[in-house]
Amino acid sequence: MAVNSQSIRVGVLGSGKGSNMVALAEAAALPDASFKLVTVISDTVKAGILDRARERGIPATFIDPGQFRTKLDAAAEARYVAALREANVDYVALAGFMRILKGDFLSAFPQRVINIHPSLLPAFPGLESWKQALAHGVKVTGCTVHVVDAGVDTGTILAQQVVPVMDDDTSDSLHERIQIAERMVYPQVMNVLGRGSAILKTDYDK
Ligand code: GRF
């Protein structure tokens, strides 16, 4: 893998199939990339994201999330922070990680935890945002890359990509269109962060 000497080291957390992680990994493998994926961690032992990472030679680990369903308990939080520190990450990129991160985790990586959310925040925070968009009848939605803070999908917005809502969209077709946009914009943002530049490209150019 060709890596820019200025590369930032990124750890990815995910619970699902890992399409965003794959997009990040493919972008990181390009010669002019300014970030590299150094570890992938999941709270779900059989998550596809772990297999997709291992196929690409990226260290991938299940870490027990503890006793709660929607967050990490204190011991688990310490395990996650320790693993990310062990991998010497500069940034943590959330890619479908289905747990809220708070307190000690965020203060371990201040302003360095990034998330991708499938709506144009602040519209439709929380779960299944594409279904919320359909239910409200909006004509455009999209995705947002943002810094994670103590709220739910409330941190500083770094980039957004607009996606049209079609008259005949189903929940699945809209979600798929949003995910195509996610896979473009998330790598762009990580490259910008790696270059230390504030200029983000947000055009929807297929
Ligand atoms: C993405 O659609 C993202 O918006 C949300 O979780 C989903 C993860 O999908 N936060 P994948 O695991 O990257 O395919």
Side-chain angles (χ1 to χ4, degrees), residues 16-20 95-96 116-118 175 179 182:
K17 65 183 193 290
S19 67
N20 277 285
I116 185 143
H117 180 80
H175 189 201
Q179 286 204 306
E182 289 180 344

Side-chain angles (χ1 to χ4, degrees), residues 145-203:
V145 181
H146 65 96
V147 178
V148 177
D149 68 8
V152 176
D153 304 323
T154 52
T156 302
I157 291 172
L158 300 176
Q160 293 186 304
Q161 189 87 55
V162 173
V163 171
V165 181
M166 305 302 187
D167 289 343
D168 60 352
D169 260 333
T170 62
S171 156
D172 285 348
S173 65
L174 180 57
H175 189 201
E176 173 59 21
R177 192 175 308 114
I178 293 169
Q179 286 204 306
I180 290 168
E182 289 180 344
R183 297 193 285 262
M184 290 191 290
V185 73
Y186 212 178
Q188 288 176 2
V189 170
M190 296 318 300
N191 269 320
V192 168
L193 293 173
R195 288 196 298 270
S197 162
I199 300 167
L200 296 171
K201 181 174 181 297
T202 57
D203 295 335

